[in-house]
C-alpha cells in the first residue's frame, strides 16, 4: 500500500524551501522510521535546550497536499494515516494493548527523559486513503477512539516531528 505524505525540513519550512511531497510503500516508510541510524540526534539536558533544538527537527503531515501551497486544511487532497501524539496521556504498554489488532509504527518523541511520562508518536496507516472532505466528519470520533492522544492530531495538518534521539537519554528512546 502506498503512503503519501508531506515532509517539512523543519517547522519553519516554506513552500519553496524545505517542503517535499513523498510517497512510499508502507513497509519502506516503516523501515525508514525504525532505522535509528537515520534519526537526527541532539543533546539536551533541559527543556530550554530541547526547545531550541526542536526548531530544526524534520516533521511530516501524513497527507497528500497540493504542491506549492501553504499547509492549510483547504490544501489537503487526501489523508493516508492517523498520527497520535501521546504526551503523558498513556503508557507505551497501554497503547500497545489498545492497538494490538492494528498495524502501526511507534516511536519516542524528543521530550523523552526531559518531561514526565511516556512521550511518543504512533502512525496508523488508513486501509483506504481518506479524501480531505471526509476528515472533518471523522475527526471528532477520533478523539473518542483515542482519548489518550493530544487533541492536535485531529487537525490532520498538524505537523508531527519525525523520530529524533536525545543523546542524554538515548537509552529511553524506543521504536517498534
Amino acid at each position: 500500500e502506498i503512503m503519501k505524505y508531506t515532509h517539512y525540513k523543519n517547522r519553519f519550512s516554506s513552500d519553496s524551501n524545505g517542503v517535499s511531497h513523498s510517497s512510499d510503500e508502507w513497509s519502506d516508510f516503516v523501515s525508514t522510521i525504525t532505522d535509528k541510524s537515520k534519526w537526527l540526534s541532539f543533546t539536551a539536558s533541559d527543556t530550554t535546550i530541547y526547545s531550541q533544538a526542536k526548531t530544526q527537527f524534520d516533521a511530516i503531515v501524513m497527507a497528500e497536499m497540493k504542491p506549492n501551497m501553504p499547509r492549510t486544511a483547504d490544501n489537503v487532497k487526501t489523508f493516508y494515516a492517523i498520527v497520535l501524539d501521546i504526551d503523558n496521556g498513556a503508557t507505551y504498554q497501554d497503547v500497545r494493548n489498545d492497538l494490538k489488532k492494528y498495524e502501526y509504527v511507534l516511536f519516542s518523541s524528543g521530550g523523552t527523559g526531559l518531561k514526565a511520562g511516556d512521550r511518543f508518536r504512533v502512525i496508523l496507516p488508513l486501509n483506504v486513503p481518506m479524501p480531505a472532505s471526509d476528515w472533518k466528519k471523522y475527526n471528532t470520533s477520533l478523539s473518542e477512539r483515542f482519548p489518550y492522544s493530544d487533541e492536535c492530531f485531529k487537525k490532520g495538518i498538524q505537523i508531527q516531528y519525525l523520530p529524533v534521539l536525545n543523546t542524554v537519554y538515548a537509552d529511553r528512546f524506543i521504536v517498534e
Side-chain angles (χ1 to χ4, degrees), residues 97-169:
N97 292 342
D98 184 45
L99 300 179
K100 64 185 169 203
K101 296 179 183 176
Y102 301 96
E103 191 168 351
Y104 64 87
V105 63
L106 174 154
F107 56 91
S108 302
S109 54
T112 296
L114 294 169
K115 299 177 181 179
D118 290 339
R119 310 180 76 75
F120 55 105
R121 304 289 178 274
V122 179
I123 302 175
L124 297 123
L126 296 171
N127 285 334
V128 177
M130 182 182 292
S133 58
D134 290 348
W135 185 260
K136 292 175 189 167
K137 297 175 194 172
Y138 293 101
N139 71 5
T140 300
S141 64
L142 292 176
S143 291
E144 293 167 8
R145 173 60 184 90
F146 304 110
Y148 47 79
S149 181
D150 185 298
E151 285 283 312
C152 72
F153 86 101
K154 286 189 344 182
K155 296 177 189 172
I157 59 165
Q158 175 76 30
I159 60 169
Q160 297 292 345
Y161 293 113
L162 287 168
V164 293
L165 181 69
N166 185 349
T167 59
V168 176
Y169 297 102

Side-chain angles (χ1 to χ4, degrees), residues 19-158:
V19 178
S20 59
H21 304 276
S22 302
S23 64
D24 286 316
E25 289 286 337
W26 169 247
S27 59
D28 293 336
F29 179 81
V30 170
S31 292
T32 299
I33 294 288
T34 57
D35 183 352
K36 278 189 173 181
S37 71
K38 295 180 180 176
W39 290 14
L40 172 72
S41 65
F42 67 102
T43 303
S45 53
D46 63 48
T47 55
T48 302
I49 296 168
Y50 170 61
S51 292
Q52 293 166 348
K54 201 158 100 165
T55 64
Q56 296 305 308
F57 294 172
D58 285 5
I60 54 172
V61 172
M62 294 303 295
E64 179 182 15
M65 308 283 286
K66 294 176 185 173
N68 304 314
M69 300 295 284
R71 184 175 50 89
T72 65
D74 290 339
N75 292 327
V76 174
K77 291 179 168 183
T78 309
F79 289 98
Y80 284 81
I82 297 167
V83 183
L84 304 179
D85 178 0
I86 301 156
D87 294 325
N88 203 19
T91 66
Y92 291 122
Q93 196 56 51
D94 291 338
V95 173
R96 286 181 192 117
N97 292 342
D98 184 45
L99 300 179
K100 64 185 169 203
K101 296 179 183 176
Y102 301 96
E103 191 168 351
Y104 64 87
V105 63
L106 174 154
F107 56 91
S108 302
S109 54
T112 296
L114 294 169
K115 299 177 181 179
D118 290 339
R119 310 180 76 75
F120 55 105
R121 304 289 178 274
V122 179
I123 302 175
L124 297 123
L126 296 171
N127 285 334
V128 177
M130 182 182 292
S133 58
D134 290 348
W135 185 260
K136 292 175 189 167
K137 297 175 194 172
Y138 293 101
N139 71 5
T140 300
S141 64
L142 292 176
S143 291
E144 293 167 8
R145 173 60 184 90
F146 304 110
Y148 47 79
S149 181
D150 185 298
E151 285 283 312
C152 72
F153 86 101
K154 286 189 344 182
K155 296 177 189 172
I157 59 165
Q158 175 76 30

